[in-house]
Amino acid sequence: RRVPLLHPLEAARLGGGEALALDGVDVDDDGPLGAEGVADREAEQLIRDTILRHYPTHSLLGEEGGIHDGDKAYRWIIDPIDGTRAFASRLPVWGISVGVFHQEDAYAGVFYMPATREMYWGTNTQAFCNDRELLPRDTIDMDSPLAFMAVPSNAHQHYQINFPRLRSLGSTTAHLAYV
């Protein structure tokens, strides 16, 4: 039985709401990111609970909670706060990433940006932002002012990059969604 897309969307939306609710909360935590680490863990737990409520036999891999062994035919991958530094800085370019694989093939994915209420989601054949279908461009001229290279914020420390337009938003998935 295939996974209805409603469930990954629901899980991402609930996790995003949890993270927003914890934004700015003063939490006594020993982790390097303090309250942000708590938000990561709390959001992931809510996402896990939502997925396992609908699919108790599926396997899960979460950035914070590790592996939940289950049916290998369906494997969920969770990054509860993609763009933790952006989240910690209260920038809106962070989100909840949830993907599901079926038989080792990507089946569906969701990237929800709670601060902007943008829900990017799709399968290997279609993609949407909220309810609007996203259509790919045929090509882009690399000399166009619209062409850019997305890099991590510390790329300049590790690489010599010779491209005229660089962009670092704080979340790799946001870069992919905005392409």
Side-chain angles (χ1 to χ4, degrees):
R1 154 180 146 219
R2 289 292 203 160
V3 174
L5 281 173
L6 172 66
H7 299 143
L9 298 174
E10 173 192 6
R13 190 172 280 116
L14 289 171
E18 183 70 16
L20 276 177
L22 290 169
D23 181 31
V25 172
D26 186 21
V27 178
D28 184 21
D29 183 56
D30 293 332
L33 292 173
E36 292 75 30
V38 171
D40 249 343
R41 290 189 300 275
E42 295 290 328
E44 182 173 319
Q45 190 58 56
L46 187 57
I47 294 165
R48 284 174 168 270
D49 292 346
T50 301
I51 293 167
L52 291 174
R53 183 175 65 246
H54 293 291
Y55 307 103
T57 62
H58 290 191
S59 64
L60 291 161
L61 172 61
E63 183 179 53
E64 302 300 320
I67 296 172
H68 168 84
D69 276 329
D71 180 2
K72 301 291 190 251
Y74 288 97
R75 180 167 302 151
W76 296 75
I77 311 297
I78 304 164
D79 184 348
I81 297 181
D82 184 324
T84 307
R85 285 186 181 92
F87 174 83
S89 300
R90 294 198 168 105
L91 297 172
V93 188
W94 60 274
I96 312 299
S97 295
V98 179
V100 61
F101 285 75
H102 179 251
Q103 304 293 358
E104 302 299 323
D105 292 323
Y107 171 66
V110 177
F111 180 61
Y112 177 49
M113 296 173 55
T116 62
R117 294 191 178 115
E118 292 172 291
M119 177 81 74
Y120 292 90
W121 58 280
T123 66
N124 59 356
T125 59
Q126 289 182 289
F128 297 85
C129 177
N130 297 327
D131 294 329
R132 180 177 51 90
E133 185 172 12
L134 301 174
L135 301 172
R137 295 181 181 181
D138 291 331
T139 62
I140 188 163
D141 176 5
M142 294 307 288
D143 291 324
S144 164
L146 298 177
F148 68 91
M149 178 183 291
V151 297
S153 59
N154 65 351
H156 67 285
Q157 296 172 346
H158 305 287
Y159 306 101
Q160 181 176 354
I161 302 171
N162 186 21
F163 193 81
R165 291 166 304 283
L166 301 178
R167 192 178 289 173
S168 181
L169 299 176
S171 165
T172 301
T173 308
H175 280 289
L176 295 172
Y178 285 149
V179 169

